Structures are given as structure tokens and as C-alpha cells.
Amino acid sequence: MSEVSLNTRRILLIVGGGIAAYKALELVRLLRKAGAEVRAVLTDGGAQFVTPLSLAALTGHPVHQALFSPDDETTMGHIELSRWADLVVVAPATAGLIAKAANGLADDLASTTLLATDKRVLMAPAMNVRMWQHPAVQANVARLGGFDGLHGVALVGPDDGEMACGEFGPGRMAEPAAVFAAIRTLLADAGGRPLAGRRAVVTAGPTFEPIDPVRGLTNRSSGKQGYAIAAALAERGAEVTLISGPVGLDAPDGVHRVWVETAVEMKVAVDAALPADIAVMSAAVADWRVDGVASGKIKKAPGGPPSLALIENPDILAGLSAPGPKRPALVIGFAAETRDLEENARAKLSRKGCDWIIGNDVSDDVFGADSNSVTLFRRGVADEIWPRQSKADVALTLVDRIVDHFA
Ligand code: C5P
């Protein structure tokens, strides 16, 4: 089994009508646990076995059921849905769904999506043993497997065993863990590692600047955006060093994390991680640190509060962007602004000397939130305003641009 993480990968799951549909729920759970985003299409038959509510609760998204639904078509229509995915999975795949897909029939949302997609399709067949062994089904399965390139459908299962109907033989849907493993393998095969051989350094989270042994200056950065970027870079094959201020997040799979507290420590760690091809500086570095940190706890004194003398921290991004033999080929910074985003971000691009700036509109609640509205500013290129999306999606979109840049 490949070791790729499913973090931020997008799976469109089509749930057909069969008793095995309950296994689709466990599959969604496994996929979500591995970090994948899942959207579900539920056929009329599937809805006889699992409820749209179960799938919506487990995927965290509304379930798509109807082809001609004004609601669905304005939010995410069948074409968009079929393109959104990195992989389409049909589980359980009934004899009916297999027959439609093999013959290009498009008369409901599931079959139409299968024809419209430009991604690989994985099917987990489930049906009675006689149905599975019927030459018509076998001919359809052979036909699906024989389509050229991307259109060739991969199969997982069916397994041999006792069936819900009491008969015995091949026809049971593969277990969720086996479908999950097949999904990982297919995603790894789908050329998912275009950044292999490239090194990346990412900073994330706040810094903590001590005042005395128990107090300090910090900020409300959660580190979520930087961690998501590190995960997406690693997933695309880059060798990632994540230099993190104090946050409560797990290190993403395959990422080398270095803990730091202060801006000065962060700068030392960034320098030590060079050379790198890609640098993404998403940490909220404190602008100042306390001059002369007290060696013991500062006591409350009758004369009133102490005054703190502050000195400027090194600007890690500006230092990294300066021309020199160790400058990464692509240096990306962030600009969190509450107003005049474009003006401020473009000014920061020139002042810091980096290549790209992710302009972050923090006028609404971004700190600690799971979604983000950003604009990508690049020298000599028009602004790219991205719709408000999850931080995982921001990371994926950014990494797509990075892949294009190096392609
Ligand atoms: O100047 P400002 O803090 O607004 O710039 C934000 C960008 O600069 C972010 O990419 C941040 O990680 C980086 N930065 C840095 N070192 C500093 C201050 C900011 O790397 N001391």
C-alpha cells in the first residue's frame, strides 16, 4: 500500500442501492480520518438503504441526489461535482450502475456524473453471486476496464463469502479498509507527486517572545493555514521542513517539524533548513521582542507596572528574499490586512522582495477558523481572488500554482 496521505484529497463517493451501502458509511469515516474531503451522491436505490442525513453528517456536506435540482445546480452542479473530485468511487456499485457506466447511459445524477468526470473511477461491485457471474455483468465489467487511459475503471472486489441473501460466492462488496487501500493506491498512481525531489521550508503559527520566565508576548495565529500548506506540499512529493511556533496541531504525515518559540529561533531554524526550492512564510512573527528579558519573575511593585522596552525582531521573510546563493527559487509570504488589501499586499511584495504574497483578508473571523478568503499577488500578473474556502483548499490551490510554476 502506498504511503501517500489523503490529506486534502477530494473523493466523490457514489452510493448505489444495495444492502452493502452501510459499508459506504464506514468508508467515509476512514477517508475523513485520513484527511480526505468527501462529497456523496446517493442514488434513489442507495437511499433505500442509507439516509441522506447519515451521509451528510459523516461527509460534512449536503448530499447530492437529484440531477435536476435547482439547489444542487446553483451550489455544485453535476459537471462541477465530477471535476471537483480527485477520484470518483462507486461503492456499492450495483449491476445497474455498472451497466449504465459501461454503456454510456446517463439518466440520473450518478450515471451522468460518471460520464462527465475527467478523473479516474474506482468501483466496488456488490450484488448477488448469480448476478455477478451473469455474462452480461461480466461483459460490462470487462468493457469498463478496457476503456482507454483515464476512462478505464478500476475495480476493488467483489469478495467471496456468504451473502445477505444466504447464497455463497463472489459478490460481497470489498470491506471498507480494502476500498480505502485501493483509493490510496490509485491517488498515488495518478501522478500525485510532481514536487518529488524539491525541498520546501514552511513557517507556521505565532512566535512567543518572553518577558520573564512566566510571561510573554504572542498573537492569535492558530497555525492551521501553514500546517495545511506543509501537508499539501508533502503530499505532492516535496521534502518539507515545517518550522512551527507554539500551536496544538499534529505534524502532518511525512513532514519534518521543528519547534521554535521566538522569532530569533525561527530565523535560525529557517536558515538551517536551507537550501530549499520553495519557502512559504506563513508564521505570524512578532514584530518586536522584549529588550532584556528578566531572569526571574517580575514582581508587582507599589510603584506601578514596569515598562517594557521593545526591540525589533529580524524580518525572516525579507532576509530570505534577499538575493544570494541560498535564496529559494520561490519565496512566498503572507499579508494579513483588515483594509486596502491590494495596495498593502503589493507594497509588501516590493518591500520584502518575495515572489508571491498571499493576501489575507482578516476583517472577518479568520484567526483559528477553518476557512480563509485570500488573494494571490504575483509580480507582473493580475490579482487572483480565490473564493472563501477551507484552509485545506487554500493550501491545495496554492500548491497547484507552485506545481505549475515549477512545471
Ligand atoms: O510585515 P508583516 O508582518 O505584515 O509581513 C507578513 C509576512 O512576513 C508573513 O509572510 C510573515 O511570515 C513574514 N514575517 C517574517 N518575519 C517577521 C515578520 C513577518 O518572516 N519578523
Side-chain angles (χ1 to χ4, degrees):
M1 184 165 76
S2 156
E3 282 311 308
V4 285
S5 141
L6 291 187
N7 207 12
T8 68
R9 305 316 295 268
R10 297 163 157 182
I11 309 293
L12 178 65
L13 176 64
I14 297 178
V15 180
I19 186 67
Y22 74 92
K23 293 186 182 174
L25 301 179
E26 172 65 5
L27 177 62
V28 174
R29 203 188 62 76
L30 292 175
L31 290 168
R32 294 289 310 272
K33 208 172 121 210
E37 201 179 336
V38 186
R39 287 182 179 265
V41 168
L42 183 60
T43 66
D44 289 347
Q48 302 293 322
F49 294 93
V50 295
T51 68
L53 186 61
S54 313
L55 274 171
L58 286 168
T59 59
H61 291 293
V63 173
H64 302 264
Q65 288 183 272
L67 180 56
F68 302 112
S69 150
D71 268 3
D72 280 3
E73 285 299 311
T74 48
T75 49
M76 191 179 279
H78 63 282
I79 303 289
E80 208 183 334
L81 199 57
S82 70
R83 303 296 152 79
W84 166 88
D86 294 317
L87 183 72
V88 180
V89 178
V90 189
T94 59
L97 269 172
I98 290 173
K100 285 185 193 181
N103 293 283
L105 191 68
D107 65 349
D108 62 6
L109 182 60
S111 51
T112 307
T113 305
L114 283 170
L115 271 192
T117 190
D118 56 354
K119 303 297 167 21
R120 291 291 316 261
V121 175
L122 172 71
M123 291 193 174
M127 66 198 74
N128 166 271
V129 53
R130 298 262 169 265
M131 292 171 73
W132 174 249
Q133 288 170 336
H134 195 286
V137 172
Q138 287 302 310
N140 284 334
V141 168
R143 191 173 155 82
L144 280 173
F147 289 145
D148 281 349
L150 256 188
H151 297 112
V153 170
L155 285 195
V156 51
D159 291 347
D160 260 27
E162 194 178 347
M163 321 209 57
C165 52
E167 290 183 57
F168 204 84
R172 285 168 58 93
M173 186 179 132
E175 292 305 318
V179 182
F180 177 81
I183 289 171
R184 289 180 72 135
T185 304
L186 275 178
L187 283 173
D189 288 350
R193 302 175 71 78
L195 295 177
R198 303 216 177 259
R199 289 170 57 111
V201 51
V202 179
T203 64
T207 64
F208 179 89
E209 310 293 340
I211 296 171
D212 66 15
V214 296
R215 306 185 182 90
L217 303 174
T218 189
N219 60 64
R220 275 151 43 84
S221 167
S222 67
K224 285 181 182 171
Q225 186 61 79
Y227 272 61
I229 291 169
L233 283 166
E235 186 199 327
R236 298 298 159 91
E239 189 188 321
V240 184
T241 304
L242 170 62
I243 296 163
S244 173
V247 296
L249 300 172
D250 291 333
D253 282 357
V255 165
H256 173 59
R257 174 167 59 185
V258 179
W259 286 118
V260 295
E261 272 198 346
T262 66
V264 169
E265 286 169 12
M266 187 172 272
K267 182 175 167 45
V268 170
V270 168
D271 287 344
L274 299 180
D277 305 283
I278 303 154
V280 185
M281 301 289 99
S282 70
V285 183
D287 291 314
W288 314 286
R289 67 178 180 277
V290 176
D291 190 12
V293 176
S295 56
K297 185 182 170 193
I298 302 172
K299 290 286 194 201
K300 249 199 271 185
S307 46
L308 297 176
L310 299 178
I311 50 175
E312 197 136 332
N313 266 330
D315 191 317
I316 303 167
L317 175 61
L320 199 62
S321 303
K326 284 200 162 178
R327 186 194 193 280
L330 181 61
V331 181
I332 305 172
F334 273 74
E337 305 290 343
T338 49
R339 54 196 297 195
D340 303 327
L341 180 65
E342 176 172 6
E343 208 181 311
N344 287 320
R346 290 248 167 230
K348 203 160 284 183
L349 201 52
S350 332
R351 197 170 66 244
K352 304 237 184 193
C354 55
D355 303 300
W356 300 356
I357 285 267
I358 309 288
N360 204 348
D361 177 357
V362 291
S363 52
D364 47 358
D365 220 6
V366 164
F367 289 104
D370 288 321
S371 67
N372 210 348
S373 26
V374 308
T375 304
L376 177 63
F377 298 95
R378 288 177 283 189
R379 240 181 270 279
V381 179
D383 306 353
E384 245 190 66
I385 303 173
W386 299 346
R388 188 172 181 108
Q389 52 190 338
S390 69
K391 288 181 175 174
D393 280 346
V394 168
L396 260 190
T397 314
L398 175 65
V399 173
D400 281 347
R401 297 294 180 282
I402 294 174
V403 168
D404 291 347
H405 176 82
F406 283 104

